[in-house]
Amino acid sequence: MAVRYVGWPEDGSKTYLYTGKNTKSKKFRQVLWGDFLRIAEDDGTWLTVIWAPNDPAKRKELFIPRMHTVETRPLEIIFLDVGQGDGAIMITPETGAEERILTIDAGPGNNMARFLNGRFKAYRGFDFEAAIITHPDKDHYYGFKDIFSNPSIGFRKIYHNGLAERAVSGTWEKIGRSEKDPSDGVTYLLDLVEDREAFEALYMNNPASSTFDFPATMMAALKNPKIHAFAMLSTAHDRQANGRAYLPGMAPSDGRGYTVEVLGPVVEPDSAGNFRLRRFGSYGETKNGHSILLRLQYGNFSVLFGGDLNEPAEKFLLRHYAGISRMPVAGTAAHRSMIDTVAQRFRSDVMKSCHHGASKVTDEFLSAVNPAAFVISSGDAEGHVHPRPDLLGRLGTFGRGSDPVILCTEILRSTREAEDAKAVAKLKADVDNLAASPTSAKSEKLKEAIQALAKVNVEVYGAIYLKTDGDRLMTAFRIETGSQTKKWFYYGYRLLPNGELVRED
């Protein structure tokens, strides 16, 4: 059976599957650029699409104008709604054996596991390119525990930032030795964990490993036979001839048409060449500040994954990439020069905002990235007040153009009212009825009512979809109505020959 993909009309109009070979036929479903289509027949004008081919109860013949389809698909990134945390999936534009799927963080719960099962089980199975743990904070890595524990799910490699928490209590004790370098007065972390053997030495023969969250997560990966390798990512690993570090297999020399550069953590070798990372203030600031930072470049478009950066880390990155020893005074020529220099490496069209919309970020870093669209991954069941209102205002100020877009998984999520008073009252009456006259039929009915009342309170998850072919870029999210024909809202962008990014409305 032939395969094609949903296209994106040049005028930006929406695309649909129809019940007949006529645009006046009933619309069955709105579809989005890059959606996978199984084609049963092609008459040159209309394509016959087999919907749900593996589900006899849902299988249908539907139709789409041929001009609304393409032979190739865009690169896709899904910023998943994982609640309070980060979790994203990148799907490369290749097909078949060349397709690469990367999971960048997995949130604190099972949303990522459920998404992977729903998206990939039917058509390709669960052999993925990489799982990337940007840093050892639970709201970024703990969703991987169930995924790594599943022996049917495999990853060619697990990448991490080198800071592996030990199975001990405390803070700094968790990540090994620290030492002040007398030559510069900076305190560095020395015991970085770089490969599988180092993880095995830390955890495999330590009974306490199963009682701490990060060790237990990595133990699950070590025991999974479909997970093949572990590696640290940093500016010193997989460095290419141009002096820059890239995700292995995604450097310019690999010729894939896209690259993923590693911009952090920044490793600072000692005099003997041993790798180390500097401490940033508190333990939390240090873990967050050394997040893996990735910058995707595909054709004309770029995306920055900002991890959980904070003020101390951003100031260090600004100084490092500008090649200066101290922050210049705001408003001076040196200050502007610093931002312009850093922008040569960090300027991006889309930015996954740092630390779920926390306000402790610098204006200078936002200016250097200067994206047209921001993506914030945050949740509403937490006490951090993310995204911070003042941060949202600053994003508007430092975003590119007159109307930068701010997309937030928490804001785009649609929930039901917390309590259905009528359902609760009926449930109470059913309990009394069962107690007065118990029967198995009443018991089963009561169980069904409890299950319905206890279901997740989310009607529409706030996942944000980004798609690009290198010439155009789309950011999309689901509309809260639940309608299949009014399913998606999206923004489109195109880069003009003069380098100006314009929005297509």
Side-chain angles (χ1 to χ4, degrees):
M1 190 176 292
V3 171
R4 287 181 71 85
Y5 301 92
V6 175
W8 187 11
E10 283 296 317
D11 62 3
S13 60
K14 298 173 182 176
T15 49
Y16 300 91
L17 295 176
Y18 297 87
T19 57
K21 292 185 177 183
N22 190 313
T23 54
K24 294 183 180 179
S25 301
K26 182 179 179 181
K27 294 173 181 175
F28 174 78
R29 185 185 183 96
Q30 184 188 359
V31 286
L32 203 61
W33 185 30
D35 284 355
F36 181 90
L37 301 173
R38 293 186 184 273
I39 308 302
E41 184 180 337
D42 180 354
D43 69 9
T45 303
W46 284 84
L47 302 179
T48 303
V49 177
I50 303 301
W51 181 257
N54 300 321
D55 188 340
K58 296 180 179 178
R59 184 183 175 101
K60 293 179 182 292
E61 278 195 355
L62 300 168
F63 306 92
I64 187 171
R66 195 180 201 284
M67 64 184 297
H68 288 173
T69 68
V70 290
E71 292 184 353
T72 58
R73 65 180 183 176
L75 182 146
E76 180 176 10
I77 301 171
I78 303 116
F79 296 95
L80 201 63
D81 182 356
V82 295
Q84 175 59 27
D86 267 12
I89 305 99
M90 188 176 93
I91 306 166
T92 66
E94 299 97 340
T95 58
E98 291 299 306
E99 176 187 64
R100 283 165 164 70
I101 296 171
L102 295 82
T103 302
I104 305 169
D105 289 331
N110 68 353
N111 281 22
M112 179 63 76
R114 291 191 292 111
F115 180 88
L116 294 177
N117 184 69
R119 175 70 182 260
F120 300 112
K121 182 178 181 179
Y123 89 91
R124 57 126 34 229
F126 302 125
D127 292 310
F128 301 132
E129 173 70 11
I132 299 172
I133 301 173
T134 60
H135 63 291
D137 260 359
K138 190 172 181 178
D139 59 344
H140 291 250
Y141 72 77
Y142 200 58
F144 279 125
K145 185 172 185 291
D146 286 346
I147 295 170
F148 294 160
S149 298
N150 187 335
S152 68
I153 299 178
F155 294 91
R156 194 180 66 81
K157 191 169 284 189
I158 294 177
Y159 294 108
H160 54 93
N161 73 341
L163 299 180
E165 289 193 330
R166 277 70 170 166
V168 298
S169 299
T171 54
W172 295 110
E173 298 85 355
K174 287 181 174 292
I175 50 177
R177 294 174 299 143
S178 298
E179 185 177 279
K180 181 179 285 190
D181 188 328
S183 67
D184 60 13
V186 175
T187 300
Y188 293 94
L189 306 170
L190 306 180
D191 293 331
L192 305 184
V193 179
E194 295 192 51
D195 53 27
R196 184 186 187 99
E197 289 72 22
F199 275 112
E200 288 176 342
L202 278 182
Y203 302 139
M204 290 300 284
N205 296 314
N206 184 352
S209 294
S210 61
T211 64
F212 290 83
D213 291 332
F214 187 79
T217 300
M218 301 311 292
M219 281 278 287
L222 290 168
K223 293 178 179 179
N224 186 335
K226 294 189 70 175
I227 294 176
H228 304 294
F230 297 69
M232 179 179 171
L233 280 182
S234 79
T235 53
H237 292 81
D238 210 57
R239 186 176 289 171
Q240 303 294 300
N242 63 2
R244 300 185 181 188
Y246 293 87
L247 201 62
M250 298 184 182
S253 58
D254 293 302
R256 295 189 172 275
Y258 56 86
T259 60
V260 180
E261 185 178 1
V262 181
L263 293 170
V266 173
V267 167
E268 300 174 88
D270 63 15
S271 58
N274 299 310
F275 290 161
R276 57 188 184 168
L277 296 171
R278 67 173 53 201
R279 283 172 50 159
F280 296 126
S282 70
Y283 178 64
E285 286 176 324
T286 299
K287 280 200 304 181
N288 291 343
H290 287 303
S291 294
I292 291 173
L293 305 179
L294 302 174
R295 184 180 180 275
L296 165 72
Q297 181 75 49
Y298 185 27
N300 294 322
F301 288 99
S302 52
V303 182
L304 179 71
F305 295 85
D308 271 4
L309 289 185
N310 46 49
E311 286 178 325
E314 289 182 1
K315 289 177 179 178
F316 167 70
L317 290 169
L318 288 161
R319 297 194 307 270
H320 172 78
Y321 280 98
I324 57 178
S325 59
R326 63 178 61 189
M327 291 287 289
V329 175
T332 63
H335 186 260
R336 184 67 253 173
S337 176
M338 176 191 70
I339 294 172
D340 290 343
T341 302
V342 175
Q344 294 175 27
R345 299 290 294 277
F346 281 83
R347 176 65 53 88
S348 301
D349 301 303
V350 179
M351 177 184 182
K352 199 292 296 180
S353 291
C354 306
H355 205 181
H356 322 294
S359 59
K360 292 185 177 181
V361 297
T362 65
D363 293 347
E364 291 87 349
F365 190 77
L366 292 175
S367 295
V369 182
N370 190 220
F374 297 88
V375 173
I376 300 172
S377 181
S378 66
D380 47 13
E382 46 84 23
H384 301 294
V385 198
H386 293 158
R388 293 291 176 95
D390 55 334
L391 185 276
L392 295 178
R394 290 167 66 196
L395 297 187
T397 298
F398 293 103
R400 197 180 319 169
S402 60
D403 54 351
V405 172
I406 301 172
L407 301 169
C408 177
T409 57
E410 178 181 348
I411 294 172
L412 295 176
R413 172 183 284 194
S414 174
T415 58
R416 297 178 288 110
E417 292 294 334
E419 180 178 310
D420 185 332
K422 289 183 179 179
V424 171
K426 186 177 185 306
L427 186 59
K428 289 179 178 178
D430 289 343
V431 170
D432 292 338
N433 189 15
L434 179 64
S437 175
T439 68
S440 59
K442 289 181 181 178
S443 176
E444 289 303 313
K445 188 175 181 180
L446 185 60
K447 289 177 183 178
E448 291 175 4
I450 292 172
Q451 187 66 36
L453 192 67
K455 73 177 183 178
V456 68
N457 199 38
V458 178
E459 291 289 322
V460 176
Y461 281 97
I464 297 161
Y465 292 72
L466 184 151
K467 305 191 181 198
T468 181
D469 61 1
D471 293 318
R472 304 171 79 192
L473 181 142
M474 171 189 286
T475 58
F477 55 90
R478 290 186 178 179
I479 300 174
E480 296 180 0
T481 62
S483 167
Q484 294 301 311
T485 58
K486 297 179 180 178
K487 192 175 182 68
W488 295 99
F489 186 93
Y490 53 82
Y491 295 97
Y493 299 87
R494 188 185 294 274
L495 202 67
L496 299 181
N498 65 0
E500 180 185 357
L501 185 71
V502 296
R503 212 170 83 191
E504 298 179 329
D505 293 321

